[in-house]
Amino acid sequence: HVQLVESGGGSVQSGGSLRFSCKASGYSFYSVFSMAWFRQAPGKEREGVAATNSVGSISYIDSVKGRFTISKDDARDTLYLQMDNLQPEDTATYYCATELRRLLYSLSRSSEYTYWGQGTQVTVS
């Protein structure tokens, strides 16, 4: 039974930082998988923000390059998203997602991922 539990959301002022964690259970980070962070703002479609996979490939959406960093701790089965220099346009609900037994090498559509976290809200003012 795969579960993704996110933590780390909150409210910050413009220019501030937050760090998300996504703790996975039901599979090991030593297996083949792909993971990503998505976000969805009110009235907008869900968009991929950052993605990685079990061989360490990393992709970012252009608007967060140089500000966000995706990483993973294989020993802890945990995915992270460090977000620096946050801007009001980053306000959204953020989700982590995983797809098992597949390697995705770029930001893919949300439909490519089977398992999702519950979402965590970020508000930047």
Side-chain angles (χ1 to χ4, degrees), residues 9-96:
S11 298
V12 295
Q13 292 188 335
S14 182
S17 297
L18 285 172
R19 188 191 195 208
F20 288 150
S21 297
C22 176
K23 178 70 171 76
S25 60
Y27 71 102
S28 168
F29 273 31
Y30 295 108
S31 63
V32 174
F33 68 94
S34 299
M35 291 192 78
W37 290 97
F38 284 78
R39 67 186 178 187
Q40 188 165 20
K44 294 188 176 182
E45 291 189 358
R46 190 169 296 189
E47 66 176 355
V49 174
T52 188
N53 59 28
S54 51
V55 297
S57 174
I58 290 177
S59 302
Y60 297 100
I61 193 173
D62 285 347
S63 61
V64 308
K65 286 180 179 178
R67 301 189 299 123
F68 291 11
T69 303
I70 189 171
S71 63
K72 59 185 179 69
D73 185 331
D74 294 343
R76 291 181 168 83
D77 294 335
T78 302
L79 181 74
Y80 301 99
L81 185 68
Q82 176 67 39
M83 303 184 294
D84 297 318
N85 191 21
L86 283 160
Q87 301 299 314
E89 53 266 34
D90 297 316
T91 295
T93 300
Y94 285 71
Y95 302 87
C96 66

